[in-house]
Amino acid sequence: MILFWAALLAVTTSLYVLLDGFDLGVGILFTFADEANRRKMLSAISPVWDGNETWLVVTGTVMFGAFPAAYAALLSAFYLPLVLMLCALILRGVAFEFRYKSLGFRWFWDLGFAGGSLVATFVQGMTVGALVQGLPMKDGHYIGGTFGWFSPFAAFCGLGLVLGYSLLGASWLVRKCEGAIRERAYQWLPVLTVGVVAFVAATFVVALTMHLGLMSRWLERPYLLIFPLIGAVSAICLLRSVQQRDDLAPFRFSALIFMAAFGTLACSFWPFMIPFALTVEQAASPPTSLNFMFWGAGLFVMPLTLIYTTTVYRLFRGKVVEMHYE
């Protein structure tokens, strides 16, 4: 049952990264568009953006119920950045709705939408970077203080995720939009793809230079090399799809790049929930609790959420029609 919940946590996390990643990416790119194109960009994500954030709630719920020790340690470590991320997501949601009704202060809500997207993305990237570098832990408890999670490497990873989500966002705009914003997104894609590949390569070099403990996994598990290979091939295919103006392909290959990165981290972390400090088994709830959760969340809530998400994306497939507001 522990493996079931660990796999489910991996699925919900990856779904959040992909689905909320592209609409956060659209929010980041929002800064570089004029009013007409901004409306088209919002139209491209308006049917699905709030549903995408459901997966963040589901991930937190699974962590809280199935792996309470990891939940407590991570919340203790990342309390400030997580509060900042939630505030950014709230501001982003409010700005999304208010900008259409506000004329004199539309610039403020535009700034809130783009800024909230940027801050939320940066915080998520810093969190991953801090986990890769390693948190100060003792006996399964965080002992690093208020800013023990922060480091230049974590900040570098935050910037990298900004690039990554922007790539997902540009790929989504190509998939959903027509006209000038589609062409602009096609111009962004090669730059962002090269930027993401360069970031991944730089991160690998920096990690080797810093002698991070997680890098020992590459010697212990040579099969991990398959993930960078998948990412590299996906990047090449993405660039070719841009040349061919294939609207559907860029998002698929961008998603593959993210899944390759996620697979690398997941396999490198295993069997630790928090690297070299707390294993999956140590973090898990008692078997009776896991079994009890299965009959509710595992058997009904998760399938229903997946069905809802699949239905929404199927209903709103195809190119968007621009919304008209006064």
Side-chain angles (χ1 to χ4, degrees):
M1 192 57 72
I2 292 177
L3 289 178
F4 169 81
W5 286 107
L8 191 61
L9 183 63
V11 169
T12 59
T13 304
S14 59
L15 283 173
Y16 172 75
V17 168
L18 285 181
L19 300 183
D20 206 34
F22 76 73
D23 69 58
L24 286 170
V26 170
I28 295 169
L29 297 174
F30 193 77
T31 309
F32 307 102
D34 57 22
E35 177 59 25
N37 285 325
R38 284 177 177 178
R39 293 189 177 193
K40 294 177 182 178
M41 293 169 78
L42 293 180
S43 298
I45 62 174
S46 59
V48 296
W49 75 273
D50 50 351
N52 292 341
E53 292 181 354
T54 301
W55 293 104
L56 179 62
V57 178
V58 173
T59 298
T61 303
V62 171
M63 179 77 75
F64 175 78
F67 303 100
Y71 180 88
L74 292 176
L75 198 63
S76 298
F78 298 114
Y79 184 81
L80 278 181
L82 288 179
V83 168
L84 181 61
M85 182 190 74
L86 292 176
C87 289
L89 291 175
I90 292 170
L91 174 61
R92 180 175 179 269
V94 172
F96 190 99
E97 302 295 339
F98 277 26
R99 75 174 305 274
Y100 290 115
K101 302 300 181 181
S102 177
L103 297 178
F105 288 93
R106 181 169 290 175
W107 63 269
F108 175 80
W109 299 117
D110 287 346
L111 182 63
F113 181 70
S117 301
L118 178 64
V119 170
T121 300
F122 183 73
V123 168
Q124 291 175 20
M126 279 203 307
T127 302
V128 174
L131 286 173
V132 171
Q133 186 169 1
L135 294 174
M137 303 280 293
K138 183 178 181 181
D139 298 327
H141 299 284
Y142 175 71
I143 58 172
T146 305
F147 295 100
W149 50 271
F150 182 78
S151 68
F153 180 79
F156 181 65
C157 290
L159 294 175
L161 193 62
V162 169
L163 280 175
Y165 278 4
S166 297
L167 176 63
L168 281 175
S171 301
W172 186 255
L173 292 176
V174 162
R175 184 186 184 97
K176 300 296 288 185
C177 295
E178 294 282 10
I181 190 60
R182 170 178 172 270
E183 293 304 314
R184 187 71 182 276
Y186 266 125
Q187 293 171 8
W188 287 329
L189 279 174
V191 178
L192 292 170
T193 302
V194 173
V196 168
V197 172
F199 162 76
V200 172
T203 302
F204 188 78
V205 172
V206 170
L208 286 175
T209 304
M210 295 174 64
H211 304 291
L212 296 185
L214 206 64
M215 298 307 298
S216 63
R217 299 292 181 149
W218 291 82
L219 297 176
E220 299 170 1
R221 303 168 180 179
Y223 63 83
L224 288 174
L225 292 172
I226 190 65
F227 294 110
L229 181 61
I230 293 173
V233 172
S234 298
I236 294 171
C237 292
L238 197 160
L239 292 174
R240 290 187 61 185
S241 69
V242 171
Q243 293 179 335
Q244 298 168 355
R245 287 298 194 268
D246 184 346
D247 290 357
L248 298 180
F251 186 76
R252 295 171 181 169
F253 290 123
S254 298
L256 269 177
I257 292 172
F258 264 82
M259 287 298 94
F262 185 84
T264 301
L265 289 176
C267 292
S268 298
F269 280 17
W270 186 262
F272 290 94
M273 184 71 71
I274 299 176
F276 310 116
L278 195 66
T279 66
V280 172
E281 290 191 0
Q282 290 171 338
S285 294
T288 52
S289 298
L290 296 178
N291 290 330
F292 178 79
M293 286 176 58
F294 172 78
W295 295 105
L299 202 59
F300 294 101
V301 176
M302 276 302 303
L304 288 175
T305 307
L306 283 170
I307 291 170
Y308 166 78
T309 301
T310 304
T311 302
V312 168
Y313 276 88
R314 182 171 178 79
L315 286 175
F316 293 100
R317 66 188 182 277
K319 299 288 186 177
V320 300
V321 177
E322 182 184 358
M323 298 182 295
H324 297 280
Y325 296 89
E326 296 298 332

